[in-house]
Amino acid sequence: MKKKIITVFSLAALLFTSLSSVGQDKQTTLLDEVIVSTDSLSIISKDSSLIIGTPVVNRQQLDQYGPTDVTWALNQLPGVYMLSGGMNVNRITMRGVGARTPYGSNKVRAYLNDIPVTNAIGETSIEIFDPENIDQVEVIQGPKAVNYGTNLGGALLFRSGTPSGSYIRNSFTTGSYDLIKNTTNAVYSDKKLSVNAGYEHLETKGYRENSAYRRNAVFLNATYRPDSKNAFTLLLNQINYNAQISSSIGRTALEENPRQAASNWLEAQGYKNSRSTLAGLSYTHRFSSEFRNTTSVFYTYLDHYEPRPFNILTGFTNGYGIRSTFRKDFDFAGQKATVYLGTELYKDQYNWQTIENRYQENNGNGSLEGQQLSRNKEYRSQVNLFASLSLPLARGLKAQVGLNSNFTSYNFLDHYHTGEDNTSASRRFDPIVAPSLNLDYQYDSNLRFYANVSRGFSFPGTEETLTPEGVINPDLGPEKGMHYEAGSHIKLWKERLRLSVAAYLMDIKDLLVAQRVGEDQYIGRNAGKTEHKGIEVSAEYHWAVSRSLLLIPFINTSINDHRFIRFRDGDNNHSGNNLTGVPDNKTNAGLRIIHRSGLYFYANYQHIGEIPLTDANNLYTDPYGIANAKVGYKHTLSEKFILEISGGINNLSDKNYAQSVLINAVGFGNSEPRFYYPGLPRNFYGGIQFRYLL
């Protein structure tokens, strides 16, 4: 470990030395001369409490793409790769962590306005947000933020923003495959009260067979400030959706007819009905200008009904929790220092059952309930205790030390089987302590350097802890890892050029592997060790062609080397192979053109390198590139009425590609293994938005 720390910090020192002559110009930024500002590179985080910079997807970046989901915007960031098999089938990986999860995201924690949206077994549903209600997504890569769970993948902090005025906004979008989306917001703001209430409706028939999608969502964010010391915030995010499921297909189907659904899912007319509610109440009290506390209580509800070819899964989850953080600023050697202390408690109860699906006996009418197969109840609990201290060490140099302690337990109750067949059991994991150290050195306003060493962990889900016989495996534990990172944020040429560079190394042991034991049955096991290393670069250039025209070319790229260091699967030794499900490189480049008249043009090109589909590395995806473009016009018609018209094209070259993959797929019977979820071919959308100022 010492050698690795020395290696990373030596790399950081070399990077700093080579750039130490950079950033001497302290003249006023060029953007002060133009009428727009679209700074979209890494910022020094305020929301996450980190002293080092973190990547941020802001409102301008979200607006570069269609308003249906955040996939393309998040994929713009280096080191982040979000796979999308449909509007309800998303999986996010960060620096290779999470790539081995069959479905969903479970090694990344997510928060909406500091309210947890990740459940007690670490699962996160990115699709529960309407992108038009999100102003910013802060992306913390790796376990360096002790205040947010220290998951190995990191954390996503979604922010809805604070209204700066009162208005009514309506956004309507239509597009290919009968896409219709409408979002209406009523916003009010004064010195004491701010309210943002929204309603969204989205529907599409989908590109593939059996892929129609329909959702309705309600959003409310209200803050009341009775005086300068107190603030109350109410948050409500509620979404209902019905999503038909096409599932994955084989290579031949992808090449010959990617519109087709998997035959068994099509015959069963598989789908998922889901209702999700997140409600939170937060109270912030300022004891003084240097001391404050924010405490939030929250409730989550999720129910689902999912007919699948092999069975029908139905269930509901009730969850609740509390999060409380104290912040104290104090003087240290004549400079400001900060200490954070906090706790986060989350408990939920998951009731679920499986039912026989007799769709083959239903005369082509899809799923039909048969006899009950199982009925279970799970009690899941997580407690995080965290603390961090930020101290100035010298002029421009700060250090931040942090500690997170986690306590996790599961209780599984089998209400279907009796006697010796009953599989009820409980599991209380050993407490885990995860420390973190951040260093930040600001040479001047144009150059800063940072480094991080931290420990992280990821727990298995309840189902992963079960053996094929349905009994909890007491030997299965969390995967744990050390994370090392060094980087720099640079501004050149009067801040026209903004550059971020990061190098990282992460060692993960007790790797959690989802082993397939049936058509859709997986069990977990700790199977070895992986090493994740890579370089990430983000750059953009702000070129004010005139006082009326701004051009911003940008490029974000990551080059990875993620490998199994030790991994045996039965008689197969995969040690040294590339990590499955992760592209070896990813680049997003583009151009933003903004004119004072209100005209704008966005274009981007995303290249994804080859992805290993099997642990044996005997099959890879083909590298591919996708180009998107959007043009629009925003105009103030009167003092109170603002109109915006826009349209876009995705996949300009009509590329046939897989936007998501299922690793280690197995063909049942004589069928071809189904690795691929096809992406959309060339598709169009257009929209109109108006804002009426009150």
Side-chain angles (χ1 to χ4, degrees):
M1 183 182 298
K2 290 182 179 179
K3 291 183 179 179
K4 290 175 180 175
I5 295 176
I6 293 171
T7 300
V8 171
F9 278 83
S10 298
L11 174 63
L14 179 62
L15 177 65
F16 171 71
T17 302
S18 64
L19 296 170
S20 61
S21 61
V22 172
Q24 302 294 326
D25 192 344
K26 300 183 181 180
Q27 299 180 38
T28 304
T29 172
L30 179 63
L31 288 182
D32 290 340
E33 302 173 10
V34 297
I35 46 94
V36 289
S37 175
T38 56
D39 186 3
S40 58
L41 273 183
S42 300
I43 63 170
I44 297 305
S45 166
K46 296 180 180 179
D47 294 332
S48 67
S49 75
L50 289 174
I51 63 171
I52 60 179
T54 55
V56 168
V57 177
N58 59 27
R59 185 67 255 171
Q60 289 94 339
Q61 288 174 299
L62 290 168
D63 285 340
Q64 288 179 216
Y65 307 95
T68 57
D69 60 51
V70 299
T71 302
W72 288 103
L74 286 177
N75 275 338
Q76 182 171 305
L77 298 176
V80 178
Y81 182 45
M82 187 169 179
L83 301 97
S84 180
M87 288 189 176
N88 68 311
V89 186
N90 296 296
R91 183 167 82 252
I92 189 167
T93 68
M94 302 216 309
R95 294 180 174 173
V97 177
R100 298 188 60 79
T101 304
Y103 311 105
S105 303
N106 73 344
K107 301 184 190 305
V108 175
R109 293 191 67 81
Y111 294 78
L112 175 58
N113 293 352
D114 254 16
I115 301 293
V117 298
T118 301
N119 67 19
I121 57 171
E123 295 173 341
T124 300
S125 298
I126 306 297
E127 59 271 11
I128 68 172
F129 303 115
D130 177 4
E132 294 188 84
N133 287 323
I134 302 299
D135 281 354
Q136 175 182 294
V137 187
E138 183 178 352
V139 181
I140 303 170
Q141 297 164 296
K144 52 196 170 193
V146 297
N147 292 13
Y148 294 97
T150 60
N151 275 36
L152 285 168
L156 299 172
L157 308 185
F158 292 84
R159 298 283 172 180
S160 62
T162 302
S164 57
S166 300
Y167 56 87
I168 295 174
R169 182 184 71 93
N170 191 83
S171 173
F172 176 80
T173 303
T174 185
S176 302
Y177 313 112
D178 294 336
L179 170 67
I180 295 176
K181 183 179 189 293
N182 193 83
T183 299
T184 302
N185 291 87
V187 178
Y188 174 81
S189 179
D190 62 22
K191 291 182 179 180
K192 288 192 173 183
L193 178 66
S194 62
V195 179
N196 181 1
Y199 174 77
E200 178 217 24
H201 172 77
L202 184 151
E203 63 180 76
T204 176
K205 289 186 177 179
Y207 160 63
R208 299 177 62 196
E209 296 174 323
N210 202 59
S211 64
Y213 180 84
R214 182 185 182 95
R215 82 177 178 215
N216 294 287
V218 174
F219 177 80
L220 174 66
N221 187 35
T223 300
Y224 175 62
R225 297 169 290 272
D227 52 48
S228 60
K229 291 188 176 182
N230 299 282
F232 300 87
T233 299
L234 175 65
L235 175 67
L236 175 67
N237 188 73
Q238 202 276 336
I239 181 170
N240 300 335
Y241 72 77
N242 176 277
Q244 294 181 338
I245 301 175
S246 303
S247 194
S248 54
I249 57 177
R251 178 79 182 194
T252 302
L254 177 69
E255 294 175 347
E256 295 180 354
N257 180 18
R259 298 190 62 140
Q260 63 184 287
S263 58
N264 56 343
W265 282 86
L266 181 62
E267 186 180 357
Q269 298 178 25
Y271 67 92
K272 183 176 182 179
N273 263 338
S274 179
R275 292 186 298 167
S276 173
T277 300
L278 170 68
L281 179 63
S282 301
Y283 171 57
T284 298
H285 177 69
R286 294 181 178 271
F287 301 95
S288 67
S289 59
E290 295 85 19
F291 185 34
R292 71 172 184 262
N293 167 258
T294 298
T295 298
S296 303
V297 292
F298 48 90
Y299 168 76
T300 60
Y301 174 79
L302 172 67
D303 70 30
H304 57 84
Y305 183 82
E306 185 177 358
R308 310 175 294 187
F310 33 88
N311 62 34
I312 297 172
L313 173 66
T314 179
F316 65 91
T317 304
N318 283 294
Y320 60 91
I322 183 171
R323 177 179 170 87
S324 185
T325 303
F326 290 87
R327 171 176 173 166
K328 172 67 175 178
D329 297 329
F330 61 96
D331 182 82
F332 182 81
Q335 301 183 64
K336 188 179 81 170
T338 303
V339 61
Y340 286 89
L341 293 172
T343 184
E344 180 180 306
L345 164 68
Y346 186 87
K347 292 188 175 185
D348 65 19
Q349 176 185 309
Y350 177 34
N351 298 268
W352 60 279
Q353 58 183 317
T354 56
I355 303 168
E356 181 185 15
N357 192 341
R358 303 175 64 179
Y359 67 93
Q360 293 172 322
E361 306 170 15
N362 201 23
N363 300 317
N365 294 315
S367 296
L368 176 67
E369 289 191 6
Q371 67 179 7
Q372 189 169 13
L373 302 175
S374 67
R375 185 165 63 91
N376 308 289
K377 183 179 292 186
E378 300 175 17
Y379 294 89
R380 294 95 63 106
S381 173
Q382 275 209 10
V383 178
N384 282 292
L385 305 176
F386 52 86
S388 68
L389 174 65
S390 303
L391 292 174
L393 301 182
R395 183 178 179 181
L397 179 63
K398 293 181 180 180
Q400 182 179 48
V401 292
L403 192 68
N404 179 287
S405 298
N406 178 275
F407 306 84
T408 294
S409 63
Y410 301 149
N411 188 16
F412 178 82
L413 300 179
D414 181 352
H415 290 296
Y416 184 72
H417 299 95
T418 59
E420 294 182 355
D421 295 329
N422 188 274
T423 57
S424 297
S426 61
R427 177 73 189 275
R428 184 178 298 275
F429 293 93
D430 293 334
I432 291 183
V433 176
S436 177
L437 170 64
N438 296 307
L439 295 175
D440 181 75
Y441 176 67
Q442 183 165 353
Y443 179 75
D444 61 17
S445 61
N446 294 321
L447 177 63
R448 62 191 314 149
F449 161 82
Y450 71 90
N452 165 263
V453 178
S454 53
R455 186 177 189 238
F457 53 87
S458 295
F459 284 97
T462 314
E463 283 69 47
E464 286 182 295
T465 64
L466 302 179
T467 67
E469 293 74 31
V471 180
I472 282 186
N473 178 7
D475 298 324
L476 184 70
E479 55 187 18
K480 301 175 283 291
M482 290 298 300
H483 175 265
Y484 314 90
E485 180 179 349
S488 184
H489 304 293
I490 309 157
K491 297 178 182 178
L492 297 171
W493 303 322
K494 299 181 181 180
E495 299 187 13
R496 294 186 184 98
L497 178 63
R498 300 151 188 214
L499 177 68
S500 290
V501 182
Y504 67 89
L505 170 65
M506 182 159 37
D507 287 328
I508 299 177
K509 63 179 182 178
D510 297 327
L511 178 71
L512 286 170
V513 174
Q515 180 181 357
R516 192 168 192 158
V517 294
E519 185 173 3
D520 194 60
Q521 182 184 8
Y522 297 83
I523 61 169
R525 59 192 183 91
N526 297 114
K529 179 179 179 181
T530 58
E531 182 180 76
H532 306 237
K533 55 187 176 183
I535 297 175
E536 301 166 354
V537 180
S538 296
E540 66 181 27
Y541 183 75
H542 290 229
W543 178 23
V545 180
S546 67
R547 293 184 61 87
S548 300
L549 182 63
L550 178 66
L551 273 63
I552 308 176
F554 64 89
I555 185 169
N556 307 294
T557 189
S558 52
I559 301 173
N560 317 313
D561 184 9
H562 301 158
R563 292 185 177 275
F564 296 111
I565 300 302
R566 185 180 67 255
F567 180 25
R568 285 187 174 273
D569 184 7
D571 295 330
N572 300 312
N573 185 1
H574 302 310
S575 302
N577 287 359
N578 293 320
L579 182 64
T580 328
V582 184
D584 57 354
N585 66 87
K586 181 173 77 77
T587 298
N588 189 293
L591 175 67
R592 300 194 290 273
I593 303 175
I594 305 168
H595 193 269
R596 183 175 189 145
S597 65
L599 284 169
Y600 59 84
F601 174 76
Y602 304 139
N604 79 288
Y605 177 81
Q606 183 176 102
H607 171 80
I608 303 296
E610 61 181 14
I611 301 174
L613 293 175
T614 63
D615 293 336
N617 286 182
N618 57 5
L619 183 64
Y620 286 74
T621 63
D622 296 325
Y624 67 88
I626 302 295
N628 306 313
K630 181 179 180 180
V631 63
Y633 176 64
K634 186 175 183 179
H635 184 64
T636 301
L637 298 177
S638 67
E639 289 184 359
K640 293 192 172 183
F641 197 80
I642 302 172
L643 180 68
E644 183 174 356
I645 301 173
S646 62
I649 306 175
N650 295 323
N651 195 355
L652 281 161
S653 63
D654 201 23
K655 179 74 174 179
N656 184 13
Y657 71 105
Q659 196 169 6
S660 184
V661 295
L662 181 64
I663 65 173
N664 295 318
V666 177
F668 293 92
N670 295 320
S671 63
E672 192 176 31
R674 304 198 324 251
F675 288 100
Y676 309 97
Y677 289 87
L680 290 177
R682 184 187 299 115
N683 61 95
F684 306 84
Y685 64 91
I688 182 168
Q689 179 185 131
F690 72 81
R691 182 176 302 204
Y692 181 76
L693 307 180
L694 301 175

